[in-house]
Amino acid sequence: MAAKEKAEKKEAERPSRPTRPYWKGYLRLALVTIPVQIHNATESSKTSLNMLHRPTGQRIEYVTTVAGEPVDKGDVFKAYPIAEDTYITLEPEELDAIKLESKKTLDLKEFVKIEEIAPPFFERPYYIVPEDDFAEEGYAVIHAALKKARRIGLGQIIMGSGREHLVGVGALDRGLAMYVLRYPDELRASGRYFGDLPESSDRPDMVELATKLIEQHTSPFKGEVYKNSYEVALLALIKEKSKGKKVKAPDTEKSRPSGRNVVDLMDALKKSVKGGKSAEEPQTKKRRSKIAG
């Protein structure tokens, strides 16, 4: 069987992706260009609730109003405030004119260590997959190179509303992920929040104990062990209510902290390192986690 026929057969047997691509185009590393698809890597785990009108049981509809009077959607336009009650109007055709043409190439031009990008810059993740069987070889090479170098490739891409996004492309275990990053001017200056705090603690003895405590509880990340407890409780509530049961709200006053507790920080650290339990922590048998290398 010819190579082309094998590739076409493999492509026909490829399982369909669980989601439709959010973006289709090309990923470029210097002279290497491969066709790819970008898929949203997240999905909402939130249970959506509707707003109902208690007397009638009908869903609430929200209406755009001015001074309490409904307005026609055709009379609504966008504007930018330049002073109190003073605006610059922006027409739809004017906004369309400045939309960037959707470049279909994500060009990786610069590479940085992932630890050099502060966590607040990361906004949302996507998965990048090869468009077809012919793209797999180049895709595998880029993936292996990024993984070996432990680098994130930076580039810019136009998605959705025509806005240009700063993104980073990095290697997962078996594929590539793209992270939409915030531009620097989108982040508030941290000095406005932390400027009055000391750069470090003046108690190295306590820092040493806290570091030891952290090392004792260091283990490989396993996201699956963390659950959205509110979502679990909400679904359980819906299930009980669907059976016609009346659910009594728990007494939250008993579990609410009584106020600021004055504790000996050094004593608390020493007890924590030795495996001591706080008054609010369940008295379960402690299992020491293996320290990650």
Side-chain angles (χ1 to χ4, degrees):
M1 184 180 296
K4 183 178 179 180
E5 292 177 344
K6 287 182 178 180
E8 291 175 348
K9 181 181 179 182
K10 185 177 180 180
E11 179 64 25
E13 295 173 350
R14 182 195 299 273
S16 60
R17 307 291 181 188
T19 56
R20 299 182 67 177
Y22 186 78
W23 184 92
K24 295 175 72 172
Y26 297 89
L27 178 65
R28 182 161 63 198
L29 173 61
L31 298 179
V32 179
T33 304
I34 58 172
V36 296
Q37 299 177 1
I38 294 178
H39 293 254
N40 201 324
T42 63
E43 61 182 353
S44 175
S45 62
K46 297 179 181 178
T47 299
S48 59
L49 301 175
N50 293 322
M51 304 295 288
L52 301 184
H53 183 231
R54 193 177 294 277
T56 63
Q58 296 182 342
R59 287 186 62 177
I60 299 293
E61 294 183 4
Y62 295 94
V63 180
T64 304
T65 64
V66 171
E69 295 296 324
V71 299
D72 188 280
K73 289 185 178 180
D75 295 331
V76 178
F77 60 93
K78 294 182 179 180
Y80 181 81
I82 57 174
E84 186 176 356
D85 297 328
T86 305
Y87 302 88
I88 294 177
T89 62
L90 300 170
E91 300 299 332
E93 59 270 18
E94 293 174 327
L95 293 172
D96 288 338
I98 65 169
K99 282 184 178 179
L100 296 172
E101 184 181 351
S102 181
K103 295 184 298 184
K104 287 299 181 181
T105 300
L106 171 52
D107 199 356
L108 303 182
K109 295 183 177 180
E110 182 182 4
F111 301 86
V112 299
K113 296 178 181 178
I114 189 169
E115 59 268 23
E116 291 180 356
I117 304 176
F121 278 95
F122 289 91
E123 186 172 350
R124 58 185 183 275
Y126 292 84
Y127 293 141
I128 300 179
V129 298
E131 170 67 32
D132 50 38
D133 185 62
F134 300 103
E136 284 189 0
E137 183 178 15
Y139 180 93
V141 169
I142 294 175
H143 169 263
L146 287 172
K147 190 173 183 179
K148 184 177 180 180
R150 298 176 64 86
R151 295 290 189 274
I152 291 276
L154 299 181
Q156 289 179 290
I157 187 173
I158 299 168
M159 297 190 300
S161 62
R163 294 177 180 268
E164 191 170 37
H165 300 275
L166 174 65
V167 299
V169 175
L172 301 175
D173 284 344
R174 297 188 61 181
L176 293 173
M178 183 187 80
Y179 309 97
V180 173
L181 304 174
R182 295 180 175 91
Y183 287 100
D185 59 1
E186 294 180 288
L187 291 175
R188 291 172 177 165
S190 61
R192 297 172 62 185
Y193 299 88
F194 311 133
D196 59 336
L197 300 176
E199 292 186 7
S200 63
S201 171
D202 59 358
R203 290 297 304 271
D205 52 343
M206 290 189 183
V207 173
E208 182 65 28
L209 284 170
T211 302
K212 189 173 182 179
L213 180 63
I214 291 170
E215 290 175 345
Q216 287 179 352
H217 292 271
T218 297
S219 61
F221 176 66
K222 296 179 180 177
E224 65 274 9
V225 304
Y226 296 92
K227 305 296 180 185
N228 185 334
S229 56
Y230 175 79
E231 187 71 15
V232 172
L234 176 59
L235 292 175
L237 171 62
I238 293 172
K239 184 177 181 180
E240 291 299 303
K241 293 276 287 186
S242 68
K243 297 177 181 178
K245 295 182 180 181
K246 188 174 182 179
V247 181
K248 183 180 179 181
D251 185 0
T252 57
E253 291 297 326
K254 293 181 180 179
S255 59
R256 186 173 297 171
S258 57
R260 183 178 298 175
N261 293 324
V262 179
V263 298
D264 185 319
L265 182 56
M266 175 63 81
D267 184 56
L269 285 169
K270 288 180 178 179
K271 286 182 178 179
S272 297
V273 170
K274 291 180 180 178
K277 297 287 184 178
S278 68
E280 296 179 1
E281 188 177 353
Q283 297 297 315
T284 55
K285 186 177 179 180
K286 183 177 181 181
R287 178 180 61 83
R288 291 186 62 174
S289 301
K290 183 180 177 182
I291 298 176

